[in-house]
Amino acid sequence: MTSPLFKLSALYIATAAIFSVNAFAFEDEKEIEKIQVLGNKHSNYLAVESETATKLGISIKETPQTVRVVTRALMDDFSLDDVNQVLETTPGVSVEKIETDRTYYKARGFDILNFQVDGLGLPQDQGALQGTLDTAIYQRIEVAMGANGIMTGAGNPSATVNFIRKRPTTDFRADVSFTTGSWSNKRLEGDVSGSITDNISARTVVVKQKRDSYLDRYAVDRDVFYGIAEFSLTDSTTLTTSLTYQSNDADSPLWGALALFDSKGNPTNYDVSTSTAADWAYWNNTSEQAFVELEQLIGSNWSVVARYAHTQNEQDSNLFYVYGTPDAETGEGLKGWASDYQLRDRINLFDIYARGSFELFGQEHQVAFGASEADMFYRDRSLYDNTSGNGYPKVPNLNGWKGNAPIPVLKDITPGSEGSDVNSEQSSQYISARFSLTEDLKFLTGLRHTKWETEGLSYGNNKGRKESDTTSHFGLVYSLNDKVNLYTSHTETFAPQSENDLTGRQLAPIEGDTQELGIKAELFDAKLMLNVALFQAEQSNIAVADVANSTPNNTVHKAAPGIESKGYEIELSGDLGYGFSANLGYTNTDIDVSDTINAGNVEAQLVKNYTPKQVFKLAVKHDVATVKGLSFGMNMRWQDDISRIQNQQPLIVTKQGAYAVVNFMASYDINEQVNITFNANNVFDKKYLNSLYWAQGYYGAPRNFAVTLNWSL
């Protein structure tokens, strides 16, 4: 069977042709220095620059918005090999693992819909990650909290996640690591970078991983390839091109999860390893990305950047969903539901912008302006077995079940109604500027106009919609001194919706905004960064069912005031001194849902209960002064109790009490080239539900271990 790696489109083949002259890169070498290095290569938990909130090239301290960064050093220390692990470590972000291969992310009470690669926004209207995104290709992962309509257009007032990829180095470097761990985990990773000629530098990252799981029957086979090349065409012109391929093939994945209450309304208590997946089920995800960037410097203060990105994702799966309420005595009463699901989605995105600085009234000011065009489509298909009798079998007590469900005959018996064919276009124009009102007072402002058009059907429902909206941001930053900045900001975003009101008119977009007030301080000679923020985020104009004017055959909608969250966040990152590096954060969020939403939108009213009010996260590492090359650390997260109302009459509530997951690490440099790292995760073997985002759920991983041998040249 031919590997999917070789099933590339003409675009990928053309990109690979560029690689034939030894090319792999993305952004210029000077960008690498934007992360301040503290001590040795493993001590860098502090980042000082970010491109997630603006295109102005200003520091995190000068940005009037909370920006979190998980650096490469932190990822390496605690073996954070996938995005879920990274975002679980990121203060202010909730990772909602609803299934083994589908995950949602939340911040400040709202789903995260905005994702970027190297600051280039990838438009989408749902935030679920399908499969697992490997982190080997990323130098750091940034999260800008709050609404971010300037950089990404449509979205929620939650956060924007920006994946900053590794870039070539001028000096030759090679890193190889091998990991072995619990549940037959085997991972091999290679990273090679350097100059090919005086004008060409390149980098390649490859990963091969195979592992079983604590969940019965679940196993994953993962492949990653990343190539990036940078061409210095002239002293002022740089061409960058790259190709990324990731595949995640899962055997016996969860589709849905465990029933959380029995026939008497009591909570179920399955073994942590219990799975509802059939032994024949699989879920294969493949992602391919090609990027091309051309940067032209104009004088000493200006540059123009044009970028093109092509992203394509494919899914092939045979899945088994278990539903129903188990009998309190026998554990029986569940049924299965088999499906064949296929998906292909694609994004073509072109973005061009100019940025630079100018002097006016004796002060220097920055401005960036540009435009982007995106063309998107997705096509999917769901097949079921409604003929053989194997499509909806009875499922015995899950305790002891081996996944031996009958094999269904999956086919389309109603052509055209069991899938989607949807096309979308997004066009945006934007401008952002920072004006120096005085030496100490900076004013940031910007506008983005976005036009979004969608047409097509999804499972018989018309997804057609046309929207346009203008979002803005405003911010003030006041420098008390060289070390401390005070700031305030107002940011906006919007989300298109396709529901119609009583008159048949499409409802206006959902409106979202964030107000933030905070302080950022550099401590201990700028080795440590403190960020304290007060925030208020609101989303309004949300579609809810207009029950009074709906009929059994026609549901109409009306706009509701929406959801409001407010709270405060504290983050401290960098070098604590005495050999300690840390990244810690505390978030306190209070969510309020309007009465109209409570009456007409079941999922919205549940947000308050399944979102933890308090979350504390800490990653800390200590370099032992008395033993050269030895370090140890702890990565932990604690969250408040959460719940989900499962039924009103009689009242059934699923609860997950407050809990902490604690991970330890120890690392030793055998010599300058060889390092060994030991990781122990969930060391206190805490049993907990991953999420109450959905009515079902499954348990987090129990205690597990991994050992990684690293070789560097």
Side-chain angles (χ1 to χ4, degrees):
M1 180 178 176
T2 303
S3 168
L5 179 58
F6 296 101
K7 298 179 179 178
L8 303 177
S9 68
L11 173 62
Y12 300 134
I13 296 173
T15 307
I18 297 176
F19 292 161
S20 67
V21 294
N22 298 317
F24 310 98
F26 199 69
E27 291 189 1
D28 57 28
E29 180 67 19
K30 63 186 179 183
E31 293 292 328
I32 295 175
E33 301 305 322
K34 286 188 175 181
I35 293 184
Q36 180 178 337
V37 177
L38 306 176
N40 64 40
K41 65 181 179 180
H42 295 296
S43 299
N44 173 18
Y45 286 8
L46 174 65
V48 297
E49 298 288 340
S50 170
E51 291 290 328
T52 307
T54 73
K55 278 187 165 74
L56 297 173
I58 59 178
S59 69
I60 293 176
K61 181 186 167 192
E62 295 172 309
T63 302
Q65 207 166 338
T66 298
V67 180
R68 273 58 187 276
V69 180
V70 176
T71 65
R72 181 73 255 168
L74 198 158
M75 287 187 263
D76 288 341
D77 284 339
F78 294 99
S79 296
L80 307 181
D81 295 328
D82 66 60
V83 168
N84 286 351
Q85 294 172 317
V86 170
L87 294 180
E88 282 178 334
T89 303
T90 306
V93 177
S94 296
V95 177
E96 305 286 352
K97 291 192 274 191
I98 57 172
E99 299 163 336
T100 53
D101 290 76
R102 179 160 44 182
T103 309
Y104 290 86
Y105 308 104
K106 296 182 74 72
R108 298 180 174 179
F110 302 94
D111 285 348
I112 297 176
L113 302 181
N114 297 133
F115 298 90
Q116 301 174 354
V117 176
D118 290 327
L120 185 63
L122 301 177
Q124 63 173 37
D125 56 5
Q126 57 180 343
L129 173 65
Q130 316 259 346
T132 303
L133 190 60
D134 200 277
T135 60
I137 73 173
Y138 301 120
Q139 186 65 30
R140 67 189 189 273
I141 296 177
E142 304 176 353
V143 181
M145 306 299 290
N148 196 5
I150 290 296
M151 294 291 286
T152 54
N156 285 338
S158 50
T160 299
V161 180
N162 190 7
F163 303 104
I164 306 298
R165 301 181 300 168
K166 292 179 176 178
R167 287 143 294 189
T169 56
T170 53
D171 57 320
F172 178 77
R173 301 180 188 178
D175 297 279
V176 178
S177 65
F178 175 72
T179 301
T180 182
S182 301
W183 309 303
S184 301
N185 181 27
K186 299 290 187 295
R187 178 184 173 91
L188 181 64
E189 181 179 326
D191 182 351
V192 180
S193 178
S195 296
I196 306 302
T197 70
D198 290 341
N199 298 321
I200 302 174
S201 57
R203 191 164 192 166
T204 303
V205 178
V206 293
V207 174
K208 177 65 180 180
Q209 182 174 13
K210 297 187 73 171
R211 63 178 176 86
D212 295 332
S213 171
Y214 69 97
L215 292 171
D216 294 337
R217 303 174 294 283
Y218 183 56
V220 173
D221 187 352
R222 185 188 304 173
D223 293 292
V224 179
F225 169 81
Y226 170 62
I228 184 167
E230 183 181 88
F231 304 86
S232 297
L233 303 181
T234 70
D235 291 342
S236 61
T237 307
T238 303
L239 174 67
T240 306
T241 184
S242 67
L243 176 67
T244 305
Y245 170 88
Q246 297 196 44
S247 71
N248 198 78
D249 295 347
D251 292 333
S252 295
L254 288 176
W255 182 37
L258 303 171
L260 298 179
F261 61 94
D262 61 26
S263 58
K264 293 184 178 180
N266 297 318
T268 55
N269 187 25
Y270 294 105
D271 291 337
V272 171
S273 62
T274 305
S275 170
T276 60
D279 53 11
W280 45 258
Y282 66 89
W283 196 341
N284 299 337
N285 287 272
T286 301
S287 174
E288 298 167 347
Q289 294 179 333
F291 282 74
V292 178
E293 177 184 273
L294 183 65
E295 180 177 13
Q296 177 65 55
L297 301 181
I298 303 174
S300 59
N301 297 327
W302 285 84
S303 65
V304 177
V305 180
R307 297 189 286 184
Y308 171 77
H310 174 91
T311 299
Q312 183 169 298
N313 301 296
E314 293 186 4
Q315 294 182 39
D316 174 24
S317 61
N318 273 193
L319 302 171
F320 191 71
Y321 177 71
V322 174
Y323 63 99
T325 304
D327 184 83
E329 305 298 332
T330 66
E332 298 179 349
L334 299 173
K335 290 194 68 175
W337 180 15
S339 176
D340 177 304
Y341 181 71
Q342 310 286 325
L343 168 70
R344 183 184 178 207
D345 69 53
R346 182 213 67 205
I347 299 175
N348 287 316
L349 178 63
F350 177 75
D351 180 70
I352 183 170
Y353 69 94
R355 75 176 179 187
S357 62
F358 61 95
E359 289 191 5
L360 185 65
F361 303 122
Q363 298 287 343
E364 185 176 69
H365 316 278
Q366 291 82 35
V367 64
F369 55 91
S372 65
E373 296 285 337
D375 171 43
M376 302 156 280
F377 86 78
Y378 73 88
R379 295 188 177 98
D380 67 356
R381 183 193 63 177
S382 297
L383 307 181
Y384 306 99
D385 182 355
N386 296 316
T387 57
S388 73
N390 292 336
Y392 305 89
K394 292 183 178 180
V395 177
N397 189 330
L398 290 177
N399 290 312
W401 184 56
K402 303 300 182 182
N404 53 342
I407 298 177
V409 178
L410 300 167
K411 61 182 181 179
D412 191 351
I413 59 174
T414 54
S417 65
E418 301 299 336
S420 304
D421 189 345
V422 179
N423 293 270
S424 298
E425 294 182 357
Q426 179 178 289
S427 176
S428 298
Q429 302 80 40
Y430 54 86
I431 183 170
S432 186
R434 185 179 77 153
F435 298 101
S436 299
L437 303 182
T438 70
E439 192 69 29
D440 298 323
L441 182 62
K442 315 294 184 184
F443 174 61
L444 280 83
T445 185
L447 292 172
R448 184 183 185 107
H449 178 75
T450 303
K451 181 181 179 181
W452 188 301
E453 183 173 349
T454 299
E455 59 182 19
L457 297 175
S458 178
Y459 296 90
N461 296 315
N462 185 4
K463 303 296 288 186
R465 60 191 182 191
K466 291 183 179 181
E467 297 289 359
S468 63
D469 205 343
T470 300
T471 53
S472 62
H473 74 190
F474 305 95
L476 283 171
V477 179
Y478 179 70
S479 298
L480 289 177
N481 52 50
D482 291 341
K483 305 299 182 183
V484 181
N485 284 354
L486 301 177
Y487 72 91
T488 183
S489 63
H490 171 89
T491 55
E492 297 176 346
T493 188
F494 79 101
Q497 50 189 350
S498 57
E499 290 81 1
N500 296 325
D501 64 15
L502 178 61
T503 67
R505 180 181 299 176
Q506 179 181 315
L507 292 179
I510 298 171
E511 297 178 353
D513 61 70
T514 303
Q515 288 79 40
E516 189 169 324
L517 176 67
I519 181 172
K520 297 184 181 183
E522 292 178 339
L523 309 174
F524 305 123
D525 295 326
K527 293 181 179 180
L528 192 66
M529 175 80 76
L530 172 67
N531 188 180
V532 179
L534 303 175
F535 68 86
Q536 178 174 309
E538 186 175 6
Q539 199 172 54
S540 60
N541 208 45
I542 300 175
V544 299
D546 185 354
V547 178
N549 293 299
S550 296
T551 66
N553 297 323
N554 182 33
T555 300
V556 297
H557 295 82
K558 60 183 178 180
I563 303 172
E564 179 186 78
S565 74
K566 57 185 177 181
Y568 59 93
E569 301 168 333
I570 303 171
E571 183 188 22
L572 193 66
S573 61
D575 187 354
L576 299 176
Y578 303 100
F580 285 92
S581 298
N583 188 321
L584 64 90
Y586 171 78
T587 303
N588 187 299
T589 306
D590 187 19
I591 297 173
D592 184 32
V593 181
S594 72
D595 293 338
T596 309
I597 289 287
N598 274 322
N601 190 316
V602 175
E603 287 303 313
Q605 66 177 296
L606 297 174
V607 171
K608 181 179 178 68
N609 295 327
Y610 69 68
T611 301
K613 179 179 177 62
Q614 301 180 86
V615 178
F616 176 75
K617 298 183 180 182
L618 169 65
V620 60
K621 184 183 70 98
H622 176 60
D623 295 326
V624 180
T626 56
V627 182
K628 184 178 180 181
L630 177 64
S631 61
F632 57 87
M634 179 181 71
N635 182 14
M636 65 88 70
R637 70 181 190 276
W638 173 88
Q639 71 171 50
D640 212 346
D641 58 282
I642 57 174
S643 63
R644 183 183 181 93
I645 299 173
Q646 302 278 20
N647 194 67
Q648 293 284 0
Q649 296 293 334
L651 181 63
I652 298 175
V653 181
T654 297
K655 297 180 179 180
Q656 169 60 64
Y659 68 91
V661 176
V662 180
N663 308 320
F664 289 153
M665 65 79 66
S667 179
Y668 180 66
D669 294 333
I670 298 173
N671 55 45
E672 291 185 357
Q673 284 77 43
V674 181
N675 164 274
I676 188 168
T677 300
F678 173 74
N679 292 98
N681 301 315
N682 195 3
V683 292
F684 299 115
D685 207 25
K686 179 65 180 179
K687 184 178 181 180
Y688 63 96
L689 289 168
N690 279 308
S691 173
L692 291 179
Y693 188 90
W694 280 2
Q696 297 179 328
Y698 72 105
Y699 300 106
R703 184 187 298 117
N704 61 94
F705 308 94
V707 177
T708 302
L709 183 65
N710 306 284
W711 175 83
S712 301
L713 181 63

